Amino acid sequence: MKTCIILHNMIIKDEGESCVDFTYTSERNQPMAISWKSDDNFESFLSRHVGIRNKDAHHTLRNDLVEHLWQLHGKM
C-alpha cells in the first residue's frame, strides 16, 4: 500500500495536477439493488476459499509433494 501511495505521489509530482482531473459520473442514477440471499456461485466460492485456507490440507499436500520429489530424486 505504501508503495502505491509513493508511486501515485511521484506521478502527480512529475506530471502535475493536470492528470488528476477525474470526473466520476454514472450513466444511471438509479440505486443499486442489493441482494442478501446467497446463491450457488457464492456458496461455491466460500467452499473453495475454506478449502484453500485449510492448514491441515496444506500441510498434507506439501508433505505429499516433498515425498514425491524425494522418490523422483532417488530413482534418478
Side-chain angles (χ1 to χ4, degrees):
M1 183 58 101
K2 287 182 181 181
T3 304
C4 291
I5 293 170
I6 291 169
L7 288 172
H8 174 267
N9 290 341
M10 289 172 63
I11 292 169
I12 297 299
K13 187 174 184 179
D14 185 50
E15 295 182 9
E17 296 293 327
S18 63
C19 67
V20 292
D21 184 25
F22 297 114
T23 305
Y24 296 105
T25 59
S26 174
E27 294 178 13
R28 298 184 294 174
N29 288 330
Q30 301 173 5
M32 181 182 290
I34 298 174
S35 173
W36 294 104
K37 61 182 177 179
S38 64
D39 61 353
D40 292 336
N41 290 334
F42 185 67
E43 294 297 327
S44 175
F45 164 77
L46 285 179
S47 67
R48 286 192 314 269
H49 181 72
V50 168
I52 290 170
R53 303 289 295 182
N54 185 334
K55 288 184 181 186
D56 293 331
H58 165 75
H59 292 294
T60 301
L61 289 171
R62 181 192 62 191
N63 293 339
D64 289 347
L65 177 61
V66 169
E67 182 180 334
H68 177 73
L69 292 174
W70 275 108
Q71 289 175 356
L72 284 179
H73 182 67
K75 292 181 180 180
M76 295 176 96

